[in-house]
Amino acid sequence: MIKPFIDMFKNKELRSRILFTLAMLFIYRLGAGITVPMVDNTKLMAMISDDSLFAMMNTLGGGALEQFSIFALGVGPYINANIIVHLLSMDVIPALTEMAKSGATGRMQMDRVTRYLAVALAFIQSFTMTYGFDVSYGLINNPSIAKYLYIATLLSAGTMFAMWLGDQITIKGIGNGISLLIFTGIVSNLPFQFIQAFQSMVDTSSSQAMFNGILGFSAYLIVYFAIIVLVIFTETAVRKVPIQYTSSSVKRGGNEMTFLPLKINSAGVIPVIFASSVMMAPITVMSFMEPTEFSETLKNILSFNKPIGLTIYIVLIIFCTFFYSNLQVDPEKISENLNKSGTYIPGIRPGKETTEYLKKVLNRITVLGAAMLCFIAALPQLISMFTTLPSSVSVGGTGMIIVVGVALETMRQLKGSLTTRSYRGFVDNRK
């Protein structure tokens, strides 16, 4: 278990990449603690602790929203822009559809469009968030349009700098840079979460109360790590579809069969982020208006801590999971590639029949993936409904899914890099 980590730091190139990644993540966390000028964030901290939607956004940003730092938006606008561009490329805007089908060149053009859209979204979101927070909580002293535009520009620049840090990690470091920035923000908040849970559960007024509290906290830790195991299972579980080659020349053996792996959760954490963004939009719009009975009712309905809001959240996650899974895994494209490579699924005819079979298998396993995703994402709210623990210290949630997924993917890449370098070293020694 420890040997791979030792081998990673023995390799000079890999060690340099790891240290570079850590340096970039340190810069990001340093910026997350720098509050934007002219902002009083004390009222904002109290608001975030009371609002479940903003609390989740703050958790994903590692406390950057609570501090109203230059990285308060994180890389959220880029993620939203990426989702929007991918949706519009599905025969909605012909130019984007053509880019999506143009290979590597088309992907570069789509990435450029995504970044331009991310800048626009970052500025709009920064301005609306600053204005809404100031109207509701008095965030800025002597507010004016010029101050709103100045703060919005700073927040947008912070988002673009965070994107640049992510790109540098992807190119010169280890893992996906954007994912690692989100991962770092969430992990940095874990010590505070455990301390808050301990303070909420352990009563030091008497020895008996302290003993019971420590037992409860121990049970909390056990459940926490059990949920981590469940998330790992969800992220790594695959349905193996058997495939065979028609040509004996490409077979490994007489009757040897290979498999086409389909992940149970092909959509990852995107459905949870998208569902929370959809629920957040009406509240953001309402922040521009004077408080009314309707706006207060809508806020209560969309609250994760209320049964109606939680139900809407779960329905949105299920819908987005099926939609994004079919977007990520295209049965028609897989069927076409199998046909071109001279492979087939035993008992299934190539072509349309294979496509229909893959669609059926994908939809069936996505039911399990969506159920797991809903359970893990809704668990903090369910616990806060039936216990005294706040949702910010409950187990499960979007943050855990992201942390486990990014950690697994980064470890796969590290092991792959280590294996490649070991193989190259073996070949060089033989020469």
Side-chain angles (χ1 to χ4, degrees), residues 92-103:
V92 177
I93 297 181
L96 291 177
T97 305
E98 188 64 29
M99 289 180 193
K101 296 178 180 178
S102 301

Side-chain angles (χ1 to χ4, degrees), residues 194 216-226 395:
F194 285 119
F217 182 70
S218 301
Y220 167 83
L221 292 178
I222 292 171
V223 173
Y224 195 96
F225 288 109
V395 296

